[in-house]
Amino acid sequence: MALRVAVPLLSAEEGLHREARLLDRVRTTAISGGVVFWRSQKALSVPRVVESRQHFGAIRAAMAKAGWPVVVRATGGDVLPLTPGLLNIGLCFAHPGSSAFGIAEAYKLLCEPLIEVLGAWGIAAVCGRTPGALCDGEYNLVVEGRKLAGTAQRWRHAADGSGRMAILAEATIFGDDDLRVQVAAAEKFYRLSGMVAGLKVDRHVTLAELLPGPYAELGGSGLLEAMAAEIAQAFRRRFGWPACVPSD
Amino acid sequence: MSKLRFTKDHEWVRYDGNVATVGITDHAQAELGDIVFVELPEVGRELKAGEACAVVESVKAASDVYAPLSGRVSETNNAIVQDPALVNRSAEDEGWFFRMVPTNLSELDTLMDEAAYRDFLASQQ
């Protein structure tokens, strides 16, 4: 039986809230993990470091006026414009906690299943940096030097004092976005902040570009739902969770 | 005489006189990578040992920092708010996070000394 996975279109606040709620469940209960998938209404997602910068309030207001409400997320990274064409994945899992298990290992747990699923669709992705891409980082998913997905993490302790860690590992995959629009939004934000972004549209790639046949057949949201269902299966194989994907 | 102790969560605490200074270990800063943001507890806040009281954000991840002891926050290190990379450069000295007045000194004895912490790190590899 094929697994069906809901990929609801949510406000950015609600999507991030669902991820935070799942992290809190992993932190405060015995459940070992879960994953939420969602698409976002247009918004600009920024880490907390950005919130602490000078004139953030005025910049936030200017971006909202331009159609890009700014939301502050609890994971690290940089500015990322969210749109309905992106697939947001919030993977939460518990780990007993040890110095040998760190941020790199957590990224592997997130990225390896994604690479496996993309490989099954004929896309050869690797982890790496993509200078000039939005929210560039060491653990982007990259296809032929172009960024297909970004990642971030939030670590918290379990509430039971056991030393167990609860980890939220996020990935955002470009689906059928007009990346020129996203890059322009991020550049506007940086410009208002008095910073130079150096972003390049051609350092990104979308699923629609890589999978023109399935995109034509399934449409943007259909392709993201099909991809999400396979990613959910891959996480299940990796983590051995029961056959459910927590969602609200 | 000062006492330096460590938690399994990779915080250090140096108790000297009536005040304990708290930070994250060199191991923790190396694991996080380039630190870009630190949020510190308010002066006067009462903390319980093990309570999440600060946030540290790097280019790779964001994580909580936990109070190693119970007590009241007496001072915070504004230098790491202005320059978070100071934590990378000097995690166990100038990159301290906050100072507190402990309310239960026996909690110090539940933490690891430097040799035990090094052994703990080695045992986790």
Side-chain angles (χ1 to χ4, degrees):
Chain A
M1 189 177 75
L3 178 73
R4 290 183 64 84
V5 172
V7 187
L9 178 62
L10 306 171
S11 69
E13 289 92 343
E14 174 59 20
L16 294 172
H17 183 58
R18 287 190 186 194
E19 290 183 355
R21 231 166 25 217
L22 177 56
L23 179 65
D24 215 42
R25 280 177 63 190
V26 172
R27 198 175 75 80
T28 57
T29 71
I31 71 162
S32 55
V35 58
V36 288
F37 296 95
W38 55 287
R39 294 183 301 131
S40 178
Q41 290 162 358
K42 227 169 98 176
L44 202 65
S45 169
V46 303
R48 293 175 72 178
V49 60
V50 171
E51 189 182 24
S52 68
R53 288 184 191 145
Q54 227 180 356
H55 310 307
F56 175 73
I59 296 167
R60 181 179 214 163
M63 292 304 300
K65 198 172 173 186
W68 291 95
V70 177
V71 291
V72 180
R73 64 176 189 267
T75 53
D78 211 332
V79 173
L80 181 67
L82 301 176
T83 62
L86 287 166
L87 175 61
N88 297 292
I89 304 164
L91 170 70
C92 292
F93 55 92
H95 188 273
S98 92
S99 297
F101 184 87
I103 292 167
E105 288 71 26
Y107 274 122
K108 276 186 190 170
L109 288 179
L110 171 70
C111 293
E112 286 178 356
L114 299 180
I115 288 171
E116 175 193 318
V117 169
L118 291 167
W121 286 73
I123 299 170
V126 294
C127 280
R129 289 190 180 280
T130 323
L134 291 159
C135 195
D136 184 31
E138 199 176 332
Y139 298 96
N140 293 327
L141 290 185
V142 182
V143 180
E144 294 179 355
R146 298 165 74 190
K147 177 170 177 168
L148 175 64
T151 56
Q153 286 182 27
R154 178 80 164 96
W155 286 56
R156 300 206 69 192
H157 262 267
D160 58 8
S162 63
R164 193 172 64 109
M165 299 302 301
I167 299 155
L168 165 64
E170 291 174 333
T172 303
I173 301 178
F174 297 124
D176 65 343
D177 310 90
D178 183 346
L179 292 165
R180 291 169 302 183
V181 173
Q182 284 171 305
V183 167
E187 280 183 331
K188 181 181 177 73
F189 184 87
Y190 286 118
R191 200 166 50 246
L192 290 170
S193 306
M195 299 164 74
V196 178
L199 298 172
K200 296 185 173 74
V201 175
D202 65 4
R203 302 315 307 271
H204 309 79
V205 68
T206 64
L207 288 175
E209 283 178 75
L210 295 167
L211 300 168
Y215 176 59
E217 184 187 335
L218 299 169
S221 59
L223 180 58
L224 294 187
E225 282 176 8
M227 192 67 76
E230 295 194 15
I231 291 168
Q233 297 276 27
F235 283 144
R236 186 167 306 156
R237 285 193 295 276
R238 172 63 62 104
F239 291 98
W241 290 326
C244 71
V245 178
S247 63
D248 296 275
Chain B
M1 196 174 80
S2 72
K3 268 188 181 179
L4 180 63
R5 293 291 182 269
F6 297 84
T7 72
K8 289 182 178 178
D9 304 322
H10 310 291
E11 289 96 15
W12 58 264
V13 52
R14 182 179 287 109
Y15 179 69
D16 199 349
N18 292 323
V19 176
T21 304
V22 178
I24 65 170
T25 66
D26 197 54
H27 170 86
Q29 71 76 21
E31 175 65 22
L32 282 162
D34 296 341
I35 293 169
V36 295
F37 174 70
V38 178
E39 185 179 83
L40 299 174
E42 283 181 21
V43 171
R45 180 172 159 187
E46 297 286 344
L47 300 174
K48 286 184 183 167
E51 179 181 349
C53 59
V55 175
V56 58
E57 186 181 297
S58 75
V59 294
K60 294 183 191 171
S63 182
D64 292 332
V65 176
Y66 299 87
L69 304 170
S70 303
R72 181 177 46 79
V73 177
S74 57
E75 185 181 353
T76 56
N77 185 3
N78 195 46
I80 63 169
V81 175
Q82 300 300 320
D83 177 17
L86 180 57
V87 181
N88 292 115
R89 296 197 300 275
S90 182
E92 298 183 13
D93 188 11
E94 291 176 42
W96 59 277
F97 276 51
F98 59 91
R99 293 196 168 112
M100 63 192 302
V101 179
T103 51
N104 182 1
L105 283 180
S106 66
E107 288 170 347
L108 267 177
D109 299 328
T110 66
L111 305 178
M112 293 176 279
D113 64 18
E114 190 158 11
Y117 179 65
R118 302 299 161 207
D119 289 347
F120 168 71
L121 285 181
S123 73
Q124 303 280 305
Q125 301 305 312

